[in-house]
Amino acid sequence: QQQVKQSPQSLIVQKGGIPIINCAYENTAFDYFPWYQQFPGKGPALLIAIRPDVSEKKEGRFTISFNKSAKQFSLHIMDSQPGDSATYFCAAWENYGGSQGNLIFGKGTKLSVKP
Amino acid sequence: NAGVTQTPKFRVLKTGQSMTLLCAQDMNHEYMYWYRQDPGMGLRLIHYSVGEGTTAKGEVPDGYNVSRLKKQNFLLGLESAAPSQTSVYFCASSYGQATYNEQFFGPGTRLTVL
């Protein structure tokens, strides 16, 4: 059972466009939602993250919108650039209690930004 | 600071062969993880370690073994490789396992099992 559903699988936008990647979850034990960015041939790297008590977080051109009641969150990339072309993974931290937990990843979205 | 490094970068095995993937981190992180990444499947946790001498199973542990004899190293072993283990393997580490502890990933090992 896929715990974090991510869409779309791939996305092509023109330079300057605003790609939006969506994720949905069911598990209410999730309490932290990071996004990872992965360039070809590299490991994923943390891009931005949000806690469920916040509805929006911005870091530079990257914004996470979070809808707790709908159990959905999304990544927006403002003024997208060819250098943003990468695979993006949403993730959710499943809190087991105390300091124990596990990071669950979505299946990823391959973004291509055309010049 | 090299961060998280993985050895080897590429490997081709025949079915039934064994091998060990090495992960090393120089950030003095307590927690280390092994993931596999398959097309359209995202990252799936194989095994993890919460400290030197400890290991635990993740989502897809079958066919793999791990060891954490030193804090800075985390080894992933395949005793009898199968074509289903063809994948890209990523090691990661974090300071702790609390909610907000960022996981730092290595560059990956691309393994092909024929």
Side-chain angles (χ1 to χ4, degrees), chain B residues 14-32:
Chain B
K14 293 182 180 178
T15 296
Q17 286 185 319
S18 64
M19 77 161 294
T20 300
L21 281 66
L22 172 63
C23 176
Q25 53 92 5
D26 61 2
M27 296 174 282
N28 200 33
H29 283 171
E30 204 64 42
Y31 293 79
M32 297 187 75

Side-chain angles (χ1 to χ4, degrees), chain A residues 38 51 89 93 99 101 107, chain B residues 37 40 45 90 97 99-100 106:
Chain A
Q38 183 182 29
R51 292 179 290 181
F89 294 95
W93 178 264
S99 62
K107 292 187 175 183
Chain B
Q37 182 177 34
L45 184 65
F90 288 99
Q97 205 183 18
T99 299
Y100 310 123

Side-chain angles (χ1 to χ4, degrees), chain B residues 30 34 38-40 43 49 57 60 74 76 82-83 93 95 102 106 109:
Chain B
E30 204 64 42
W34 275 108
D38 303 292
L43 290 143
S49 168
K57 293 180 180 180
V60 289
F74 195 28
L76 178 71
S93 70
Y95 178 74
E102 177 183 353
T109 294

Side-chain angles (χ1 to χ4, degrees), chain A residues 31-32 36 38 41-44 46 51 89 93 95 99-103 105-107, chain B residues 31 33 35 37 40-43 45 48 50 90 97-100 102-103 105-107:
Chain A
D31 66 355
Y32 176 64
Y36 280 78
Q38 183 182 29
K42 304 293 185 183
L46 180 65
R51 292 179 290 181
F89 294 95
W93 178 264
N95 196 335
S99 62
Q100 299 297 307
N102 188 26
L103 197 58
F105 285 87
K107 292 187 175 183
Chain B
Y31 293 79
Y33 313 82
Y35 292 89
Q37 182 177 34
M41 295 295 292
L43 290 143
L45 184 65
Y48 64 99
V50 301
F90 288 99
Q97 205 183 18
T99 299
Y100 310 123
E102 177 183 353
Q103 291 189 16
F105 284 80

